[in-house]
């Protein structure tokens, strides 16, 4: 619950840059899908940086930088 609240707070702030580190880790599939849907629909013109090794978190974004 706390993790979802923190992601929500980060998402709905008026910042120009949003940086998240594995925002849906430890969430079940339904909650992760909800959070990712909110991210996709509320990013606006912000710069979005997502650090993750979970493809469900970055699979729908078009600009991906993979570091190996």
């Amino acid at each position: 619950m706390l993790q979802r609240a923190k992601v929500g707070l980060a998402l709905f702030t008026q910042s120009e840059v949003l940086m998240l580190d594995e925002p849906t880790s430890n969430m079940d599939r339904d909650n992760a899908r909800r959070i990712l849907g909110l991210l996709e629909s509320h990013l606006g013109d912000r710069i979005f940086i997502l650090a993750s090794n979970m493809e469900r978190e970055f699979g729908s974004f078009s600009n991906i930088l993979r570091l190996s």
Side-chain angles (χ1 to χ4, degrees):
M1 190 68 114
L2 182 59
Q3 181 180 9
R4 289 181 295 211
K6 287 181 178 182
V7 172
L9 282 172
L11 182 61
F12 294 113
T13 60
Q14 297 297 319
S15 65
E16 294 180 12
V17 178
L18 179 61
M19 296 175 25
L20 298 175
D21 181 24
E22 296 186 343
T24 67
S25 63
N26 300 315
M27 285 187 194
D28 62 36
R29 188 180 328 162
D30 291 334
N31 282 319
R33 191 177 67 241
R34 285 185 194 111
I35 292 292
L36 294 172
L38 285 172
L39 284 172
E40 289 183 41
S41 63
H42 289 88
L43 283 177
D45 293 333
R46 287 191 273 190
I47 296 170
F48 179 50
I49 299 171
L50 173 70
S52 180
N53 62 1
M54 301 171 66
E55 189 163 346
R56 75 177 184 190
E57 292 183 338
F58 61 82
S60 65
F61 294 100
S62 58
N63 296 323
I64 298 173
L65 175 63
R66 295 179 191 266
L67 303 175
S68 302

